[in-house]
């Protein structure tokens, strides 16, 4: 599965959903730069041209932890 990976952006351009779609990426993971009003790991992101995207955010940061 190809995934857009945007973990450490300090801000995102408004056209990012459009660019991810044009690149043929069906999913993306984002972390930094997600507004604090986003309270769930999945949300709807809309570009100025109307392109929508449903990325996931990493609520605990970019680190992946193995279960104990």
């Amino acid at each position: 599965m190809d995934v857009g990976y945007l973990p450490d952006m300090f801000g995102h351009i408004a056209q990012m959903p459009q660019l991810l779609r044009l690149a043929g990426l069906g999913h993306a993971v984002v972390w930094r730069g997600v507004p604090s009003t986003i309270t769930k790991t999945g949300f709807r992101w809309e570009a100025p041209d109307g392109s929508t995207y449903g990325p996931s955010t990493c609520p605990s940061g970019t680190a992946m932890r193995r279960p104990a």
Side-chain angles (χ1 to χ4, degrees):
M1 172 194 319
D2 292 331
V3 175
Y5 187 57
L6 309 165
D8 204 15
M9 310 283 286
F10 286 88
H12 299 277
I13 62 169
Q15 294 82 5
M16 189 58 74
Q18 179 183 1
L19 294 173
L20 291 167
R21 286 260 180 238
L22 288 171
L25 298 172
H27 193 74
V29 176
V30 298
W31 175 52
R32 191 186 310 269
V34 176
S36 61
T37 56
I38 303 297
T39 59
K40 297 183 179 187
T41 57
F43 59 97
R44 182 66 43 201
W45 191 1
E46 186 173 344
D49 77 340
S51 298
T52 59
Y53 211 76
S56 295
T57 185
C58 303
S60 61
T62 57
M64 298 297 188
R65 293 175 180 81
R66 291 179 45 192

